[in-house]
Every structure is written in C-alpha cells, then in structure tokens.
C-alpha cells in the first residue's frame, strides 16, 4: 500500500512539489522561529552571563532607579516630593553586615550628557556614564586593556568601542580629553532645572575596557560632584540624604545569594535585581515572543494544509476510476483511506524535509554574518548563533507529516466512500 | 444444489423523483461449479448490472444470490471481492504506473493472506498468460491483448472461485479476442474456476458451454 501511495505522489511530481511548497514555507517559518528564538535566548543569556555574575545583586530604591529610571537624573524638587527607601550609606552599612555579603560597591549613573572627544565636534552616540570605585582591571568592567590603574577624580575609563568610533587606536586615545556636556535635548531634564544646561566636565582617558557594553566609567566622588551641581543640591550630603546611590552592587558568597536577596527585600525594603531575576525575565520574554511567533507560523501551516486539501480533492477527481479499480479488486474503504492519508502525509514529509534542509542551509550561510552583527552590537561572547537541534528537527518533521495527514483526512474519507460502480464509469 | 443460484434478481435505479429504471426485472438461473458460460444481451439488457452485482460492486438489489450455499450478502464485501470473485474489465483498468508484475500483484497487496508463496503463484500466472518476458513492462508498453492478459492475471492472483469477465474482447481485434477466450477456457479447466463471460458478441458467446440471454432485464 505504501508503495502504491508513493507511486500516486510521485506520479504528478510538479503538483506534489507545489503543494509541498506550502508546507516548506511553513516549516521554514517555524524552524526559524523555534531555532531562532532559542538561539536568540541563548545568545542573550550567554552575553548576560559573561557580564553579570550570578552571585551579584543590584540594589536600588523601590523606584527602580537602578535600571530604567536612571536615564532621568534626580532633581532636588522631585526628590523632596517622594517617599521611598533611600539607598544611602546607612543602607550600605546594613547590607555589609548581612551574613553572606562579600562586598558592597556604590554606583552612580549619569545621563543626559553629550560625550565629546577633545578636539572633536561629533558627540559619541551613547551618553550613559557609570561611576564605580574599582581598579581598572576589575572583572566587573570586563577585560581591561593596559596596566592596573586606580581611577582618579579627573580620570575616565572608556570601552574599546569609543576609540574605534572616533577611528583612533587604543594607544592614541589614552591621555586624551573626554568632555561631558549637559544638554537638555539628550536628557529628560525638567525645564525648570536649568542648572544642568551648558555645563562641561573634563576627564582624561586613563584606561580602556574590552567590554560588551559601550560605557564610560568615572569615580564616585567626581560623579557625586556632578550630580550635586546639575541636580541643584546644596552639597553631597544633601544629595546622598535625599537621593542616595543610584545602585549598590552587592557581591555575595556563592550559596548565599538568594538568602541575601530575600533579606534585603524583606528587611530593608529595597529593590533587588539578581542575575537570576533577569535571566528569568529574559526567558519569560523570549518564551512569550516564541509563542506569539509560533501562532503566526501555525497560521501559515493552516494555509499550507488548505493547499493540501485542495490538491488531494483534485487528486481524487483524477484518480476516481483508479479508486474504482482498486475497490473492485478488493481494496476496502479503510485501505483506500489509508492510501490517501499516506499520500497526504508524504506531501507533508516532503515539504517538511525540504523546508528543514533549506533552513539549515540558510542558517549555515547566515550564521557568520549574524555573529559579526551581534558582536558589533556588543554581544562579544557570541561565537555561534544558530545551533541546529536534531530533536527540534524531528519534531518539525513529525509536525509536517501530521499537518499533511490532518489535511488529508477529509479527502481520504471522500475517496474511501466512493461508489466503485460509479467510480469505474467516471471519465 | 447448484454452485451459484441466482433467484429473482431485481435492480431498480431511481434517477429522480419520477424517473426510475428497472435494469433487472427478475433474473433467475443456476450455475454449476467449474462451468464456463456466457451472458449475452444487447445494450441496456442488464448485463453490466448483473455483473456488478455478481462482482460485489453493487449491493442494492432485490432477490438472492447463493454462492456455495451461502447468500453473498452474508459475506464481508471486501472478502467477497478479494477471494470469491475476480473481475476482468473491457478497458483492462490496469494501473498505468505499475508494471505487469505489480499490476498482477495489486489485489494481493490489499489482501490479508500474507506469508503465502505469492512469488510461486505469480510465476505460474505469468507463464499461463504468456507474459513472463514482459513482467517489467508498463501497461503503455503492451498491446491490447497483452494488457487484457495482465488483467486476467490480476483477477486470478488471489485464486478466486469465480471469474467475471465483462466484455473482455470488446477492445480487441477478433484474433486477439479469440486468444483471450481460449485463455479463459484454459484457466477454467486448469484452475477449475467458474467463468462467467458477459458479452454482446454471439460469436464469442458460442465458444462457451452455455449461454444465458438477457432481454430487458430478464433471462429468456
């Protein structure tokens, strides 16, 4: 029976191929979604894990100043109206006392500045500046190019993206001037706060970091000076009292991370972001996106299955006499049904295998380009994007066969119910 | 008791609310086991209807057909078509993409008698129909006579008790037609199979031992 069904499929090659094409397209779409999204998730997590240690926790006020809202630098007026836990020296001291905490590093974030290389009129496109008191070769930054240096008040570390943007070598940029200019057009500064406008801060490049992010680092003391001045605060004490640190990086012992996180949230009332939280968030996000895309893919599979139904019905009309013959010589309704289901399943299989093969080929071709593109965008830990997973390939192939069979059910039933006498007379 | 008893067989086709055709109006006759007979009649006499009923393709009839003491309505329809009767058609009805061997073996593919020495049976049939050297040929590479021989081989592969031949010489020249009738005669003797040949050609019918004539749905 299988050979006979195969014969029916191969007898009209062009039509079989055209019908399979629908499945091929659906499979390509589904494969790119399933493989692509899994690979994207892996890429993000790989990159994320290369930058963030699982034992690190990021503490900020309940207002999540640490990540999203850090783009909007605090002002005195705004801060006075808010009631929240301030991540200040008091909180820092309390955290340092928690069992399992190895170290606590205060951080400030500055935004809304244009960053210029001395003597150059074009600003660097990213203006996000971090402040941390760490030696230059600390792994927190990434890989430090050059000797260990302590960041001075007038010093700045830059990522290796900066010299490449200004088209000069790493050696040439060391010792050069970096100017931060406050600019209302690049920030979310309230119109009432004019202190931030037209101020300039000069720094000397002290070190370069080979990192995945394109950032600038200055020391916390200088950062605080700038924040006080641009925010309209009286002095540093007033700033730390009202605003506090942008974030605290809490380094923990390996098996105490969760415990420390829970304590800080429950007892100190601060907001804590752990590497695990972010990984979970990324996984949820990509999974949700995958489901949405799979729905789109399924719609294309539905369209393909309509194509198969159409072809199979046409096939019944063409093979009516033949169905009559095989029934006359003893084929049962069930056998006719099975022959047609095998036929439609084979169409699904052909479409699936061709789709997988084409997708696999495209993945191999596109992989180096994608990796280059991602590395240019800062995903430096990515060495390969697409990972062909045989298990997924098997699922996709089985899925294609299933779509073919499901699409073939109605035509197969129609064929099985044909009256052999009428079928034999059919012209 | 005869091997096949056809009793008061009637078949009415309802074409529409007001129009119906009585293709068979009460056909009755007996056939002995191993008999070689023909059913003749002009167009519209009910020959094909009788053949469809005897061949297990049409079950909407009145009356009874008893084969080997059992009403054929008691048989499983597929079993009846596979093992009780083998049918030969005027237009041969071979599957164009299957070769001679595959066409002959096709009923076997649908049968449940697996494990039997089918190759031996195939060789025997190929020899009997004289197409041993054409076994790999496709239907389009055969003459009309050869194609009809393949159809006969196909009808015999599952060793049916009855062979029904519907105008088997209708598409052949007289010489080839004669050879086909001779072949049917041989298999009737060698296989001891009952052969019912339906034809409108009296000359062909006269080669059989008995002739049943149908006129307007009745045997006369």
């Amino acid at each position: 029976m299988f050979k006979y069904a195969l014969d029916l499929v191969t007898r009209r090659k062009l039509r079989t191929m055209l019908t399979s094409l629908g499945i091929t397209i659906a499979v390509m779409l589904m494969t790119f979604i399933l493989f692509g999204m899994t690979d994207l998730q892996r890429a993000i997590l790989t990159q994320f894990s290369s930058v963030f240690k699982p034992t690190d926790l990021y503490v900020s006020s309940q207002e999540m100043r640490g990540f999203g809202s850090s783009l909007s630098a605090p002002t005195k007026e705004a801060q006075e109206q808010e009631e929240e836990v301030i991540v200040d020296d008091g909180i820092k001291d309390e955290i340092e006392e928690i069992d399992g905490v190895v170290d606590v590093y205060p951080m400030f974030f500055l935004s809304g500045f244009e960053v210029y290389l001395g003597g150059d009129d074009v600003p660097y496109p990213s203006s996000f500046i971090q402040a941390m008191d760490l030696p230059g070769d600390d792994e927190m930054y990434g890989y430090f190019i050059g000797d260990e240096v302590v960041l001075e008040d007038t010093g700045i570390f830059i990522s290796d993206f900066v010299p490449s943007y200004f088209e000069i070598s790493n050696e040439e940029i060391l010792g050069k001037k970096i100017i931060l200019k406050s600019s209302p057009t690049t920030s979310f500064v309230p119109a009432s706060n004019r202190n931030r406008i037209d101020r300039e801060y000069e720094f000397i490049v002290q070190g370069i970091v080979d990192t995945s992010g394109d950032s600038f680092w200055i020391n916390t003391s200088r950062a605080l000076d700038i924040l006080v001045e641009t925010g309209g605060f009286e002095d540093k004490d007033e700033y730390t009292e009202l605003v506090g640190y942008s974030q605290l990086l809490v380094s923990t012992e390996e098996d105490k991370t969760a415990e420390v996180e829970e304590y800080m949230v429950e007892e100190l009332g601060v907001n804590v972001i752990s590497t695990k939280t972010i990984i979970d968030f990324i996984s949820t996000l990509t999974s949700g996106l995958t489901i949405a895309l799979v729905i789109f893919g399924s719609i294309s599979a539905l369209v393909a299955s309509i194509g198969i139904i159409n072809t199979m019905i046409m096939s019944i009309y063409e093979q009516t006499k033949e169905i009559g013959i095989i029934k006359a010589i003893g084929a049962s309704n069930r056998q006719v049904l099975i022959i047609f289901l095998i036929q439609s399943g084979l169409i699904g299989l052909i479409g699936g295998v061709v789709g997988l093969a084409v997708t696999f080929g495209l993945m191999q071709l596109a992989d180096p380009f994608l990796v280059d593109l991602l590395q240019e965008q800062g995903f430096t830990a990515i060495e390969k994007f697409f990972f062909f997973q045989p298990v997924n390939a098997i699922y996709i192939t089985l899925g294609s066969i299933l779509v073919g069979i499901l699409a073939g059910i109605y035509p197969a039933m129609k064929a099985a119910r044909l009256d052999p006498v009428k079928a034999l007379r059919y012209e | 008791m005869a091997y096949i008893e056809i009793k008061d067989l009637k078949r009415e086709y309802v074409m529409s609310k007001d129009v119906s055709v009585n293709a068979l109006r009460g056909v009755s006759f007996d056939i002995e086991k191993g008999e070689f007979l023909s059913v003749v009649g002009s167009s519209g006499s009910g020959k094909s209807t009788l053949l469809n009923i005897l061949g297990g393709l049409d079950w909407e009839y009145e009356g009874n057909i008893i084969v080997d003491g059992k009403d054929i309505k008691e048989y499983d329809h597929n079993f009846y078509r596979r093992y009780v009767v083998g049918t030969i058609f005027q237009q041969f009805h071979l599957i164009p993409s299957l070769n001679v061997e595959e066409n002959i073996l096709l009923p076997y593919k649908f049968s449940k008698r697996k494990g039997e020495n089918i190759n031996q049976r195939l060789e025997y049939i190929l020899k009997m129909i004289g197409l041993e050297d054409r076994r790999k040929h496709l239907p389009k590479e055969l003459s009309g006579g050869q194609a009809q021989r393949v159809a006969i081989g196909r009808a015999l592969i599952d060793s049916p008790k009855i062979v029904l031949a519907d105008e088997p010489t209708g598409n052949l020249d007289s010489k080839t037609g004669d050879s086909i009738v001779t072949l049917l005669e041989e298999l009737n003797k060698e296989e001891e199979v009952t052969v019912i040949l339906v034809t409108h050609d009296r000359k062909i019918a006269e080669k059989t031992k008995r002739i049943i004539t149908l006129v307007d749905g009745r045997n006369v």
Side-chain angles (χ1 to χ4, degrees):
Chain A
M1 270 202 296
F2 182 82
K3 189 174 180 292
Y4 179 60
L6 183 67
D7 170 68
L8 293 176
V9 170
T10 53
R11 211 183 287 171
R12 291 171 184 87
K13 292 183 185 68
L14 181 63
R15 198 175 59 188
T16 301
M17 288 314 294
L18 288 174
T19 312
S20 298
L21 194 62
I23 294 282
T24 300
I25 292 166
V27 162
M28 285 175 69
L29 199 60
M30 292 292 261
T31 311
F32 273 120
I33 291 166
L34 289 174
F35 284 132
M37 289 309 293
T38 312
D39 295 331
L40 181 65
Q41 186 173 353
R42 186 190 299 110
I44 294 170
L45 294 180
T46 305
Q47 184 60 31
F48 186 79
S49 307
S50 76
V51 178
F52 297 96
K53 284 190 285 183
T55 51
D56 286 344
L57 296 168
Y58 297 87
V59 176
S60 59
S61 72
Q62 287 290 13
E63 288 297 306
M64 292 283 288
R65 192 173 307 291
F67 280 85
S69 60
S70 63
L71 289 171
S72 171
T75 62
K76 184 178 174 181
E77 292 79 5
Q79 206 60 38
E80 281 171 345
Q81 292 170 9
E82 293 177 12
E83 282 183 28
E84 60 178 32
V85 177
I86 307 296
V87 180
D88 55 11
D89 283 324
I91 292 283
K92 179 175 171 282
D93 292 343
E94 280 189 66
I95 292 172
E96 279 171 343
E97 294 302 314
I98 300 170
D99 180 38
V101 171
V102 177
D103 229 327
V104 181
Y105 304 99
M107 298 168 80
F108 289 111
F109 302 137
L110 287 78
S111 62
F113 291 91
E114 286 180 339
V115 183
Y116 291 87
L117 180 67
D120 205 307
D121 292 336
V122 183
Y124 187 72
S126 168
S127 60
F128 186 67
I129 298 139
Q130 295 186 47
M132 274 182 89
D133 289 331
L134 288 171
D137 63 348
D138 194 280
E139 61 183 16
M140 181 61 210
Y141 295 124
Y143 179 70
F144 194 75
I145 302 167
D147 301 326
E148 180 183 339
V149 269
V150 175
L151 201 50
E152 293 166 8
D153 264 10
T154 54
I156 190 165
F157 290 159
I158 57 172
S159 86
D160 60 345
F161 286 92
V162 181
S164 60
Y165 176 77
F166 289 112
E167 295 177 338
I168 59 173
S169 69
N170 289 345
E171 290 74 23
E172 281 176 311
I173 205 166
L174 281 170
K176 289 231 180 232
K177 206 180 279 180
I178 293 278
I179 301 154
L180 308 190
K181 287 184 186 175
S182 59
S183 162
T185 56
T186 56
S187 71
F188 299 95
V189 181
S192 58
N193 183 8
R194 297 295 174 197
N195 288 336
R196 300 194 62 169
I197 302 169
D198 296 333
R199 287 182 184 274
E200 287 188 11
Y201 303 95
E202 284 187 9
F203 295 86
I204 301 296
V205 178
Q206 267 193 288
I208 301 159
V209 183
D210 177 7
T211 182
S212 52
D214 49 352
S215 289
F216 299 89
W217 293 267
I218 59 176
N219 77 19
T220 52
S221 166
R222 183 74 190 278
L224 199 50
D225 284 340
I226 296 169
L227 287 167
V228 167
E229 200 170 292
T230 55
F233 293 88
E234 292 291 328
D235 52 26
K236 289 181 181 181
D237 288 342
E238 190 185 37
Y239 185 89
T240 48
E241 188 186 319
L242 285 173
V243 181
Y245 297 108
S246 302
Q247 199 171 74
L248 294 176
L249 167 61
V250 179
S251 177
T252 68
E253 288 171 21
E254 205 172 317
D255 53 345
K256 296 275 177 68
T257 313
E259 212 175 293
V260 172
E261 181 183 0
E262 191 184 343
Y263 182 87
M264 290 192 293
V265 173
E266 300 290 329
E267 301 298 326
L268 305 181
V270 291
N271 180 61
V272 181
I273 294 174
S274 64
T275 307
K276 186 181 173 299
T277 312
I278 299 173
I279 287 174
D280 288 348
F281 176 71
I282 293 168
S283 300
T284 310
L285 196 71
T286 48
S287 300
L289 201 57
T290 305
I291 291 169
L293 290 172
V294 163
I295 292 170
F296 283 115
S298 306
I299 293 170
S300 80
L302 183 71
V303 173
S305 64
I306 292 169
I308 294 180
I309 294 171
N310 183 42
T311 300
M312 295 299 293
I313 289 175
M314 287 299 292
S315 177
I316 290 168
Y317 287 124
E318 284 175 15
Q319 293 166 22
T320 297
K321 186 165 254 176
E322 206 165 308
I323 294 164
I325 296 168
I326 61 171
K327 280 191 147 188
I329 61 173
S332 64
N333 288 358
R334 191 164 160 269
Q335 285 170 325
V336 174
L337 182 95
I338 290 169
I339 286 168
F340 273 80
L341 288 180
I342 293 173
Q343 217 178 320
S344 57
L346 281 171
I347 290 174
L349 175 69
I350 293 167
V353 170
V354 172
L356 268 175
V358 172
T359 312
F360 180 70
L362 287 174
M363 279 177 169
Q364 298 302 312
L365 285 174
D367 202 72
F369 297 105
L370 261 175
V371 170
D372 281 351
L373 191 72
L374 285 168
Q375 286 189 343
E376 278 170 24
Q377 296 301 314
F379 285 77
T380 48
I382 311 303
E383 289 170 356
K384 185 169 169 56
F385 185 77
F386 287 120
F387 286 85
F388 191 79
Q389 295 149 305
V391 175
N392 277 357
I394 291 169
Y395 287 148
I396 289 170
T397 309
L398 291 177
S400 322
I401 296 170
L402 186 68
V403 168
I405 291 173
L406 289 175
I409 288 175
Y410 170 71
M413 285 171 70
K414 202 172 155 68
R417 284 199 291 253
L418 276 180
D419 179 345
V421 176
K422 286 180 186 164
L424 282 169
R425 283 193 193 136
Y426 185 85
E427 293 295 340
Chain B
M1 187 195 288
Y3 182 60
I4 303 172
E5 295 172 58
I6 298 169
K7 296 177 182 173
D8 197 23
L9 198 62
K10 291 175 185 166
R11 178 65 166 103
E12 182 185 14
Y13 292 105
V14 180
M15 314 304 280
S16 65
K17 196 180 170 186
D18 304 316
V19 181
S20 62
V21 175
N22 290 304
L24 296 177
R25 297 163 186 262
V27 173
S28 299
F29 62 95
D30 294 344
I31 303 167
E32 296 303 325
K33 189 176 174 74
E35 200 176 343
F36 182 30
L37 80 155
S38 54
V39 177
V40 295
S42 57
S43 179
S45 61
K47 301 188 301 292
S48 294
T49 304
L50 176 64
L51 205 78
N52 286 338
I53 294 170
L54 280 173
L57 300 177
D58 183 0
W59 298 87
E60 305 295 314
Y61 61 85
E62 287 176 43
N64 300 93
I65 301 173
I66 314 293
V67 173
D68 205 9
K70 186 176 175 181
D71 195 310
I72 65 168
K73 282 192 172 171
E74 292 172 24
Y75 283 98
D76 172 80
H77 294 185
N78 299 316
F79 179 90
Y80 180 80
R81 287 199 291 255
R82 274 178 205 148
Y83 309 121
V84 180
V85 294
T87 308
I88 301 160
F89 304 96
Q90 182 180 353
Q91 294 91 352
F92 324 134
H93 287 331
L94 301 179
I95 306 295
S97 56
L98 303 182
N99 65 28
V100 167
E101 265 184 7
E102 290 164 339
N103 264 294
I104 292 173
L105 284 172
L106 196 57
Y108 178 77
K109 303 289 179 193
F110 297 117
S111 80
K112 290 173 182 169
R113 288 179 183 170
K114 302 296 175 194
E116 290 180 12
N117 197 344
I118 191 66
N119 290 332
Q120 205 177 324
R121 176 78 180 154
L122 175 69
E123 291 306 318
Y124 169 76
I125 286 172
L126 280 169
K127 193 177 173 189
M128 189 169 73
I129 61 175
L131 290 175
E132 288 162 293
D133 56 342
R134 295 276 192 278
R135 61 175 69 212
K136 299 294 177 192
H137 286 226
L138 291 171
K140 67 180 177 190
E141 295 161 348
L142 302 172
S143 67
Q146 287 169 332
Q148 192 57 292
R149 284 168 182 270
V150 176
I152 292 170
R154 184 179 63 187
L156 293 174
I157 190 75
D158 269 333
S159 309
K161 295 166 185 168
I162 304 160
V163 166
L164 305 170
D166 183 11
E167 302 274 12
T169 61
N171 277 0
L172 304 172
D173 59 69
S174 58
K175 193 181 168 191
T176 313
D178 284 349
S179 73
I180 291 297
V181 176
T182 307
L183 177 63
L184 290 172
E185 214 171 348
E186 281 170 16
L187 76 90
N188 167 247
K189 282 176 191 161
E190 288 180 25
E191 293 259 311
E192 293 178 348
V193 65
T194 305
V195 178
I196 303 170
L197 193 153
V198 173
T199 180
H200 66 279
D201 187 341
R202 275 265 162 199
K203 284 182 186 169
I204 294 289
E206 279 163 8
K207 294 179 190 294
T208 64
K209 292 168 188 163
R210 185 156 71 108
I211 298 173
I212 305 287
T213 305
L214 292 186
V215 177
D216 292 336
R218 289 192 182 89
N219 55 317
V220 292

